[in-house]
Amino acid sequence: MRHTQNTGNARETPVGKVVLGAATVAMGLIAGVFYIFACAVMPALARSDDRTYVEVMRHINTVIQNPVFFLSFMGALVLTGWSAWQLRGSASARWIRAALVAYALVFFVTVAFNIPLNNALAAQGDPSALRRDFEGPWVAWNVVRAVGSTVAVAFLARALLVCGRFSRSA
């Protein structure tokens, strides 16, 4: 019995490809958020005095809790999972699963580390002590999120390329 490799199209449907495209866009938006915090927002805030730093981060933590952000933050996870299901057995499936694992780790880091740090920063207290306990760990975990979500985008982009390559050859 000869073993044949799946060369795509086994489960590739127009809906599956649309979901993969939407997952890639949502993931790109989230990777961009984490990236801009790592490259611009946090370095700019690092130049601020303690009171300003704490006040601005509190405002950011309040303002970011909005439907648009949640749609992309949760949407990246849900759409990538849905895409993994829709395109299971296709040539792009392993790339989508890799993206799902990468973003699941980012999601875990956010819930386990960044959100509790945000909540602790919201407490009343000396701005200097609040900043000291917040800044280093939050920035480090955000870099992990930026790298992880960027890796997830790269995996999804690869999945899109694989889908497109096999679609053209079919």
Side-chain angles (χ1 to χ4, degrees):
M1 182 165 151
R2 189 173 148 221
H3 176 70
T4 58
Q5 181 181 0
N6 182 354
T7 59
N9 301 334
R11 295 190 183 269
E12 290 180 10
T13 65
V15 170
K17 290 178 184 180
V18 168
V19 172
L20 176 57
T24 306
V25 169
M27 194 71 70
L29 290 170
I30 287 303
V33 169
F34 297 147
Y35 175 79
I36 199 67
F37 267 89
C39 292
V41 174
M42 299 314 286
L45 278 176
R47 297 178 177 189
S48 301
D49 63 80
D50 295 339
R51 185 192 59 74
T52 301
Y53 182 96
V54 169
E55 184 178 324
V56 170
M57 277 307 300
R58 284 175 174 166
H59 289 310
I60 289 171
N61 291 337
T62 300
V63 170
I64 204 162
Q65 295 180 44
N66 67 69
V68 174
F69 176 77
F70 281 128
L71 185 62
S72 53
F73 181 70
M74 296 299 293
L77 184 65
V78 170
L79 290 168
T80 302
W82 186 14
S83 180
W85 176 255
Q86 288 278 316
L87 297 172
R88 68 192 184 281
S90 72
S92 59
R94 66 183 170 139
W95 296 106
I96 301 166
R97 285 192 309 269
L100 185 58
V101 168
Y103 191 64
L105 291 172
V106 167
F107 196 89
F108 172 77
V109 165
T110 301
V111 171
F113 301 105
N114 291 90
I115 291 174
L117 287 165
N118 292 346
N119 292 341
L121 190 68
Q124 294 301 314
D126 173 47
S128 176
L130 289 169
R131 180 179 183 172
R132 182 189 64 240
D133 294 341
F134 175 87
E135 187 173 17
W138 196 95
V139 168
W141 286 117
N142 186 67
V143 169
V144 171
R145 298 187 306 170
V147 170
S149 57
T150 300
V151 167
V153 170
F155 288 155
L156 290 174
R158 178 67 178 146
L160 283 171
L161 290 172
V162 169
C163 266
R165 183 176 72 220
F166 286 113
S167 292
R168 285 192 307 272
S169 65

